[in-house]
Amino acid sequence: MTDALPPRGCQAAEPAEDGYFRKGCNPLAETGRSKLQNQRAVLNQQILRAVRMRAGAENLLRATTNNKVREQVLLELSFVNSDLQILKEELEGLNISVEVYQNTEETFSIPLVPLGLKETKEVDFTLPLKDFILEHYSEDSSEYEDEIADLMDLRQACRTPSRDEAGIEMLISYFLQLGYVENRFFPPTRHMGILFTWYDSFTGVPVCQQNLLLEKASILFNTGALYTQIGTRCNRQTQAGLENAVDAFQKAAGVLSYLKETFTHTPSYDMSPAMLNVLVKMMLAQAQECVFEQIGLPGIRNEFFTLVKMTQEVAKVGEVYMLVNTAMNQEPVKENIPYSWSKLAQIKSDHYKALAHYFIATILCDHELQSGDDEDQQEKALSQLYDYMPEGLMVLTVLKDKVQRKQLGKAHLRKAIVYHEEALRVCGLCKKLRNIDVLQEVLTAAHKRSLLKYAQQETEDDFLSLIQAPDILPKTEHKIETIAPHFSKVKVKDFFHRLGPLTVFSAKQRWTAPRTIRIHHEAGELGFSLKGGSPVQIYCLDPVCSAASMGLKEGDYIVSVGGVDCKWHGVNEVLEKFKSVGEQPIEIEVISCQDTAASMHSKSATYSVGMQKTYSLICLAMEEDKIDQTKKVPLKLPFLSWGTKNRQKAASTLCLPSAVAGSSQIKKKLSPFTLLNTESSLY
């Protein structure tokens, strides 16, 4: 039924009927990453309770006219919103715990940012699918219990995917399986009564829908998130590791971009078009950063043209991180993007811009034009680094004049030092980043190197000849692009294959219950012809034959012959069965297609770019573990407001306060290094 793979650190268990692990799933791994996900799940539950308390208080506030009661409710709302703010800051602390996801080898590289997996509640498909099989397909639903169990087992395994290609393949296989399930069991005209609950990765707010699109979109988000975790785990001290990291981040960007373009009405904030746009930019920037590290891994030779190339490459990294930082500080993303992510993007932008100025300063200070050098090539290469030259300077003159060359080099060093100091300043102001030792070490070492280079130059008075270093034009020979997901590479078999070909036996089609027709051969003739693929159809029916008199109709589908299921049989196979019985009568079962109801799309909550500070979610006032299936679910579900957009229209709605650095009300201090001291291997 499934492939078995024991978790790391556990002994391979002997074959057991009720105990196995699906390949790509590692639920028992006690690692820093799994502990972070467990903490995320706990925070999600706490946020859910707080949101429900706020919803109840708001309802009471709207219903009561007693001023004393209103004052008490408003006080309670202020406490609930304060608690929500604290929980939000704790969730942000988990999002910035990047050290847990990095490679276990000793490295001297700036950490990369992964995405955490979205959490979900368990879903029981058993009763809704069994009822639908009995009602819609007119088959014994008890015969499909194993298939339903396989589907639920696969979904449960997707909650704890292993951080490798097997985990990716498992998530994609479930996503593809959902396509089959949607076509077989989710008619466009009504809901199935299956509630899917997923928690927002950034706010922790649950989104509940009976729409399968939420399930598919969330699985895609987790696929992209898992790619980012694979990328951060790669060993960036080797060429192969950096190549894998670049590939992983490009694939992550491709999955998130596909999610943005395909599922445009997801109600979860982390899957809104604006947020996904920022995440795609961030993943491509990290891929560009790994490309630069890959180029410089063998060492950077202090040679003119090599340094020119490295200057342009590192300037490109600084530019893409500047664009990421700008996107993170735009509405509506700014409200809920982790503050530390925005500051890390700013730090990396300044750091890599400083390196670009340091490289070009090295070119100017260490390489004087010699008699054997190609003057034209050096002039061309240096001119490509600038959009303009400082007033009074020409590229060829700078190359030939030792004084001008040194002055321009020192100007670049001064600018590099300014960028380094700004990066250190921003890092020192952010509490989360200040605790990441390797980040501090990299920034400090680069700053000291620039200071030392500047101190090595002659100390003549430069006040009368200060030159403002021009900006450097970024350029890369390694274009970074998104890699679209290749779903066709993952082979998936429809769990409910026995129901018949999907083109015919789907939730959109309606049929009569199977009818038994007893066929007698009349002078070796059946009285009808067969056509089509699987299943075959009745064609050219003789209206006076015995089969027609027993109720056989033109266009009927044959689903069984002589008690043998033949939904997947072609014309030749069915004819062989007829021939095998000779002149004896044979019973067949047929179904007739009914009129198909007009398709209509299920409505779902929509995130709008225009609603800059309003976050809506669907129907949180429900039972914790189940919904009374006997109650009729309204088509239009109530919404709760998360934000400040409608405060003037509804004074009872209180917003989730913005994150305040250094809040004294934080209950629990979280550090990026909290979970680093684990002896378990990362999965």
Side-chain angles (χ1 to χ4, degrees), residues 22 31 65 94 177 243 346 363 438 623 660 666:
R22 180 178 291 274
T31 67
T65 57
L94 297 185
Q177 195 66 237
E243 289 177 3
Q346 181 181 348
I363 293 174
V438 66
E623 292 293 330
V660 179
I666 297 179

Side-chain angles (χ1 to χ4, degrees), residues 55-121:
E58 288 176 344
N59 291 335
L60 179 59
L61 193 63
R62 284 189 288 267
T64 185
T65 57
N66 188 307
N67 290 334
K68 186 174 181 180
V69 173
R70 290 180 65 87
E71 290 178 0
Q72 292 177 344
V73 173
L74 287 172
L75 180 62
E76 180 67 24
L77 277 173
S78 66
F79 279 112
V80 171
N81 278 281
S82 177
D83 197 28
L84 278 172
Q85 174 59 37
I86 294 173
L87 294 173
K88 178 185 176 183
E89 291 181 2
E90 291 187 10
L91 189 60
E92 180 183 338
L94 297 185
N95 285 329
I96 197 55
S97 299
V98 295
E99 289 293 293
V100 177
Y101 296 92
Q102 308 302 311
N103 187 266
T104 55
E105 302 291 335
E106 289 293 333
T107 62
F108 194 65
S109 304
I110 299 179
L112 300 171
V113 176
L115 298 178
L117 301 180
K118 289 171 68 69
E119 292 289 339
T120 183
K121 287 185 176 181

Side-chain angles (χ1 to χ4, degrees), residues 477-489:
E477 297 178 358
H478 304 79
K479 190 175 182 180
I480 298 299
E481 295 178 333
T482 61
I483 298 179
H486 298 290
F487 298 121
S488 59
K489 291 185 177 180

Side-chain angles (χ1 to χ4, degrees), residues 4-191:
L5 179 69
R8 293 191 182 101
C10 299
Q11 295 181 353
E14 295 183 0
E17 295 181 359
D18 57 350
Y20 59 86
F21 296 105
R22 180 178 291 274
K23 185 177 181 181
C25 170
N26 208 348
L28 299 184
E30 288 294 328
T31 67
R33 171 176 169 265
S34 63
K35 291 176 182 177
L36 272 185
Q37 286 296 140
N38 291 336
Q39 292 183 29
R40 186 187 298 275
V42 172
L43 280 178
N44 288 337
Q45 292 297 324
Q46 293 174 347
I47 290 175
L48 173 59
R49 285 194 292 269
V51 170
R52 287 179 175 172
M53 289 178 62
R54 187 176 68 175
E58 288 176 344
N59 291 335
L60 179 59
L61 193 63
R62 284 189 288 267
T64 185
T65 57
N66 188 307
N67 290 334
K68 186 174 181 180
V69 173
R70 290 180 65 87
E71 290 178 0
Q72 292 177 344
V73 173
L74 287 172
L75 180 62
E76 180 67 24
L77 277 173
S78 66
F79 279 112
V80 171
N81 278 281
S82 177
D83 197 28
L84 278 172
Q85 174 59 37
I86 294 173
L87 294 173
K88 178 185 176 183
E89 291 181 2
E90 291 187 10
L91 189 60
E92 180 183 338
L94 297 185
N95 285 329
I96 197 55
S97 299
V98 295
E99 289 293 293
V100 177
Y101 296 92
Q102 308 302 311
N103 187 266
T104 55
E105 302 291 335
E106 289 293 333
T107 62
F108 194 65
S109 304
I110 299 179
L112 300 171
V113 176
L115 298 178
L117 301 180
K118 289 171 68 69
E119 292 289 339
T120 183
K121 287 185 176 181
E122 292 185 7
V123 173
D124 191 351
F125 290 99
T126 306
L127 288 179
L129 295 194
K130 290 180 72 174
D131 289 346
F132 194 82
I133 290 173
L134 179 62
E135 169 199 344
H136 188 79
Y137 294 100
S138 301
E139 294 202 27
D140 185 0
S141 57
S142 62
E143 296 181 358
Y144 290 88
E145 291 180 351
D146 287 343
E147 286 84 349
I148 297 174
D150 275 345
L151 178 64
M152 293 175 61
D153 171 67
L154 179 57
R155 186 185 191 275
Q156 183 67 18
C158 286
R159 299 178 68 180
T160 55
S162 58
R163 189 161 43 147
D164 50 30
E165 286 299 326
I168 293 292
E169 184 175 342
M170 182 182 65
L171 290 176
I172 293 179
S173 66
Y174 179 58
F175 175 77
L176 297 177
Q177 195 66 237
L178 287 175
Y180 290 118
V181 172
E182 182 178 22
N183 287 323
R184 292 220 185 260
F185 300 108
F186 285 78
T189 55
R190 66 183 177 91
H191 289 299

Side-chain angles (χ1 to χ4, degrees), residues 588-652:
I588 65 172
E589 286 189 347
V590 297
I591 57 174
S592 300
C593 186
Q594 298 178 338
D595 294 335
T596 304
S599 299
M600 53 182 284
H601 294 287
S602 302
K603 294 183 178 179
S604 61
T606 303
Y607 173 85
S608 174
V609 176
M611 300 168 62
Q612 295 185 355
K613 292 187 178 180
T614 302
Y615 179 81
S616 299
L617 53 132
I618 291 184
C619 193
L620 294 179
M622 58 186 67
E623 292 293 330
E624 179 70 24
D625 298 319
K626 62 181 179 179
I627 294 180
D628 188 357
Q629 298 292 337
T630 61
K631 295 182 179 180
K632 184 177 180 181
V633 180
L635 293 179
K636 186 175 181 181
L637 299 175
F639 284 78
L640 297 176
S641 178
W642 177 287
T644 60
K645 185 75 173 179
N646 300 320
R647 183 183 293 179
Q648 295 178 351
K649 297 181 180 179
S652 64

